[in-house]
Amino acid sequence: MTVLEQPGSSRHTSGPAGPPPAWRPRVDPAPLLPEAEPHRLLGTDAARRLDPALLKRLYTELVRGRRYNTQATALTRQGRLAVYPSSAGQEACQVAAALALDEQDWLFPSYRDTLAAVARGLDPVQALTLLRGDWHTGYDPYEHRIAPLCTPLATQLPHAVGLAHAARLKGDDVVALAMVGDGGTSEGDFHEALNFAAVWQAPVVFLVQNNGFAISVPLAKQTAAPTLAHKAVGYGMPGRLVDGNDAPALHEVLTEAVRRAREGGGPTLVEAVTYRIDAHTNADDATRYRTQAEVESWRAHDPIALLERELTDRDLLTEEFATATRDGAERLAADLRERMHTEPPLDPMDLFDHVFTQQTGQLRAQAAQLRAELDAEAEGHPETTTGTATPAQEARP
Amino acid sequence: MTTTTAPTARKPATMAQALTRALRDAMAEDPAVHVMGEDVGTLGGVFRVTDGLAEEFGEDRCSDTPLAEAGILGTAVGMAMYGLRPVVEMQFDAFAYPAFEQLISHVARMRNRTRGAVAMPLTIRIPYGGGIGGVEHHSDSSEAYYLATPGLQVVTPATVEDAYGLLRASIASDDPVVFLEPKRLYWTKADWSPDAPAPVAPLGRAEIRRRGSSATLITYGPSLPVCLEAAEAARAEGWDLEVLDLRTLVPFDDDTVCASVRRTGRAVIVHESNGFGGPGGEIAARITERCFHYLEAPVLRVAGFDIPYPPPMLERHHLPGVDRILDTVARLQWESRWTEGRGA
Ligand SMILES: Cc1ncc(C[n+]2csc(CCOP(=O)(O)OP(=O)(O)O)c2C)c(N)n1
């Protein structure tokens, strides 16, 4: 029997067009659909019921986060960092992502998500190694369960799915939370990751930080979808839309998504609607593609100010707490400043140490060559290499 | 083919500006030429190579695409099938990798698999190479992947003039071109007016940048200025080095290379991509096959180490520099015949 003769093949069935009666949707799409408006808590009655300790914790982290962003940006101006993609304005996403996870869970950050890694407990200097340029990843991913900060867009998402899947196969209670920008949702890897996650029902949460731009390209040129959260439905997972500057709302949505994943409910796609207040990186000229008025309108919806209002209304922002928070943030900045002003210890021989588990003969020979060159250099032979130092300007992720 | 703009006084222009002008001239001459990629519109590209094109030709001719390299190149294939001449920008070397499927499975072999019926007149511009202090994934030398793929022309300018001339020729070519822009030379200046007539440089022809008689340094793209500097420094050692700029890796100009090596009797290939499996191995083999009896010494290579591209603070140790080139030249068996006594 050839394929064409198969019963049921549309060429040979008469009757009404369309699929046979046995067809039905595999999943009811309605519960997967995101909110019509971004979920918010701050400024609503529900906010009154939020745990004061949680609000204060979020506030402390947001203030630290903002200070970290301004300090890191300052370090680029002093030439201490090659480049810094600031998350100013997006601190609520960074903080909520970190706080939504338990210790055994994994974070899969993009290059912009240093702050999420720091909020998860990573040493602030180690988090900046990539951007300073002394090594690609400045920490052991297993120590804090934070994957390397990922520069090629969306490529960390399938990793998150695979890790979560593997953990579940082993019977471990591990959830992976992977972060991506609005631009990154256009990459094939994003779509493949979502599909795998849904098919495998992997314990993964995808957090899209929709900050309005992929470098210069506005969301309207990136997607024609009603919202990015809607993309979830096509893969068969719930999409959640949340105000990305409302830290408690984000915390609620992410914590719920993590819980669902942990309990075997499968993946969730969360779109956080936020805004990149700073340029793409310190090297980018944002005036080319957006107006100051737009930036200002978002400043009025600043995540720290929003939370501060709530704390004030509830008399939680005591003088003492405010001072302690500010001091803590200053200590973080001072520590960062001080340690980033010290030259990192660099050993060029490291170049050969971690290419393979066991160094090959070929690499040993090349290491010996470099060793000899370094020795000659140390003996004072003038060195004439070409790695022309460059304006950090051109080093953008 | 030259442009019609009236000549003006020559003044310094950068390689990036020459590329911009090549795109503008090509778009002005042929409405089928379309520029597309990430941030190429309003921003003018992260290296500003497409600056002003969207304004001048409209967003349909110079368009910001969604952020998806496979999508960019895949749609360009369809556009080319329908008679357009897409010029695609991949933002950085390592970000072209998602497009490999399209490049290798379709772009490179479309003509062949359709017995010549479907051409792929598209140009894929990729800023490549290191030396600019870029963080991870911003400094790869990916040329070996491309030249290992039959059906792709691989072009890489090293001078401001060539940036213009080779890009024009690439866009005019009816076959696909991977156009590798050495990003550390973007700001190289030459006495070249952005308005003066500029020649189109033919693909597949190498150029001797410095005449010499003792040995030939064979190089391309980002390593050309290094080789020229090394050749100057080598005079102190009594070596008169010839420096040959390949300009296109595919097609490969065997004739110019062999003529030079036969004259000098010695060859050193210099590039910053990994030595093992890198372009130098292929070039050395071709020289050996064609010039064996003229060689005074084995063909040597100076290349990047066989390691993933290092972080910026260590990249100077990886990139072939003047010293490493001179050390290699010193190993060219000088003692063998006429330069007795000068050996490594
Ligand atoms: C695969 C890939 N293509 C291109 C780039 C270059 N690039 C770096 S950031 C960026 C924009 C990303 O925008 P988005 O995903 O919205 O994240 P955001 O920077 O706004 O956080 C681009 C195009 C990259 N890093 N990876």
Side-chain angles (χ1 to χ4, degrees), chain A residues 111-112 151-153 181-184 187 211 213-215 276 280 397, chain B residues 38-39 67 69 91 95 98:
Chain A
Y111 61 90
R112 195 180 295 285
T151 302
L153 294 164
D182 42 301
E187 290 283 0
N211 65 10
F213 289 90
I215 307 189
R276 196 188 75 212
H280 170 64
Chain B
E38 295 157 10
D39 303 287
L67 214 168
E69 294 75 13
Q91 205 160 75
F95 307 145

Side-chain angles (χ1 to χ4, degrees), chain A residues 187 216 222 362 366 384 396, chain B residues 39 67 69 138 306 323:
Chain A
E187 290 283 0
S216 69
Q222 200 64 245
Q362 189 176 315
Q366 293 178 9
T384 35
R396 26 186 129 222
Chain B
D39 303 287
L67 214 168
E69 294 75 13
H138 289 79
D306 299 314
D323 282 351

Side-chain angles (χ1 to χ4, degrees), chain B residues 87 101 166 181-182 323 339:
Chain B
V87 182
E101 163 71 3
L166 291 171
E181 300 172 2
D323 282 351
T339 28

Side-chain angles (χ1 to χ4, degrees), chain B residues 301-316:
Chain B
R301 288 171 290 168
V302 188
F305 293 127
D306 299 314
I307 58 174
Y309 196 87
M313 284 184 176
L314 291 173
E315 68 181 341
R316 71 184 187 91

